Amino acid sequence: MKDKPVGFFDSGLGGASVLKEALRLLPKENYIYYGDNKNAPYGDKDEKEITRLTFAGADFLVSHGVKAMVLACNTATSAAIREIREMLSIPVISVEPAIKPACALPGDGKILMCATLATTRLERYQKLRARMPDPGRVVDVPCPGLADRIEQGVFGADAFDDLFRGYFKPFEGQRIDAIVLGCTHYVFIKDAFKRYAQEHFSGNAALFDGNAATILQLGRVLEEKGLSGASGEADVAFHTSGDRAYFEPLFLSLLRG
Ligand code: DGL
């Protein structure tokens, strides 16, 4: 069992940002990645459809013999984590928008929680926000179209201003203490968020994501269950429901970048 790989699932390429953290923090594990690029983005779909697609992704990874699974997608987690955990006998670790560390920042500037429309609407996230000491400080900013553009292989620091102008218009010139990247795709365009924030907000607008916390949790769970692997060098296998010839080189360049 120890020698089996850990499975990673995302609607598309975003989960590679979490896998990248895994390669840094848990370099002795082997990994299988499955991106449902054919059906991405998930963020504009309804809960039932996201759950159905997430189940299909989990089935794929289980059929490849994974010893644990990382749901490296906030949207899939929000919709389906409870059912997936009930269905599978292996440990399932999930990502969570990092509003908790962001809320620990001193001050009363706003915290913008950027995520897909589905994540911001679903009950799981709403409950998480309600548990914060000052939930009113956290403002949800759904970002329709953003993950989709990243799926198209666009990552430039100045390549998202048209979308950002739409999402962030109500906060122009305001004090923003933090921006939470509540979608694993967004972690690849930190420079674009930083650049826009510097030009349009006051306050530090520190960026937060939940990737490292997710991998630390994966490490703890593997350890607890006696499942930690010890391969010499991590092996990564890539699978996609989309066009492999297009997505694999992109995936590999994101992992190495
Ligand atoms: N990467 C995903 C997330 O973390 C979803 C992007 C999408 O498919 O809309 O939410």
Side-chain angles (χ1 to χ4, degrees):
M1 195 70 173
K2 279 169 173 258
D3 299 332
K4 291 187 169 178
V6 176
F8 272 66
F9 174 74
D10 182 47
S11 62
L13 294 169
S17 68
V18 192
L19 178 55
K20 199 170 166 186
E21 203 61 38
L23 291 172
R24 191 173 72 82
L25 295 172
L26 301 175
K28 293 189 169 167
E29 298 294 340
N30 291 320
Y31 299 98
I32 296 192
Y33 187 94
Y34 180 62
D36 190 11
N37 302 84
K38 185 175 153 215
N39 295 302
Y42 282 10
D44 306 324
K45 300 188 193 311
D46 65 29
E47 188 174 4
K48 220 170 140 197
E49 178 67 352
I50 298 166
T51 303
R52 188 183 69 76
L53 294 169
T54 306
F55 270 53
D59 274 347
F60 178 92
L61 288 168
V62 168
S63 73
H64 282 72
V66 297
K67 64 181 175 185
M69 189 180 304
V70 177
L71 219 44
C73 176
N74 292 269
T75 310
T77 299
S78 303
I81 186 71
R82 201 171 42 82
E83 291 99 318
I84 292 275
R85 283 196 173 126
E86 277 166 18
M87 186 178 83
L88 302 183
S89 54
I90 56 169
V92 183
I93 286 83
S94 66
V95 280
E96 186 160 89
I99 54 174
K100 200 171 166 197
C103 284
L105 286 177
D108 57 4
K110 289 193 173 68
I111 292 164
L112 303 183
M113 205 298 273
C114 297
T116 65
L117 195 58
T119 297
T120 57
R121 277 188 184 157
L122 286 166
E123 196 188 354
R124 184 180 168 86
Y125 166 68
Q126 294 290 334
K127 282 189 172 163
L128 173 72
R129 193 187 55 190
R131 289 200 297 274
M132 294 303 114
D134 180 6
R137 195 178 171 200
V138 181
V139 185
D140 299 341
V141 185
C143 302
L146 192 53
D148 206 14
R149 188 170 296 178
I150 297 166
E151 281 287 295
Q152 287 160 26
V154 176
F155 303 100
D158 56 357
F160 300 91
D161 285 1
D162 57 329
L163 292 175
F164 286 164
R165 267 194 293 277
Y167 311 145
F168 295 133
K169 202 166 172 220
F171 314 107
E172 186 73 32
Q174 292 192 21
R175 180 176 155 188
I176 304 299
D177 286 339
I179 298 178
V180 175
L181 305 175
C183 166
T184 53
H185 280 73
Y186 306 169
V187 178
F188 287 122
I189 58 159
K190 280 184 181 172
D191 289 348
F193 277 97
K194 264 188 220 149
R195 179 180 167 275
Y196 193 89
Q198 272 163 9
E199 287 174 10
H200 295 266
F201 304 141
S202 70
N204 283 337
L207 300 184
F208 286 83
D209 69 73
N211 287 2
T214 299
I215 299 307
L216 291 173
Q217 174 65 3
L218 170 66
R220 276 192 294 270
V221 170
L222 292 177
E223 194 67 49
E224 265 166 38
K225 307 223 177 260
L227 290 172
S228 297
S231 75
E233 203 181 319
D235 181 58
V236 178
F238 174 74
H239 299 270
T240 174
S241 59
D243 176 0
R244 190 182 181 98
Y246 172 78
F247 285 108
E248 187 165 37
L250 255 180
F251 169 82
L252 292 174
S253 74
L254 286 173
L255 272 193
R256 289 182 195 129

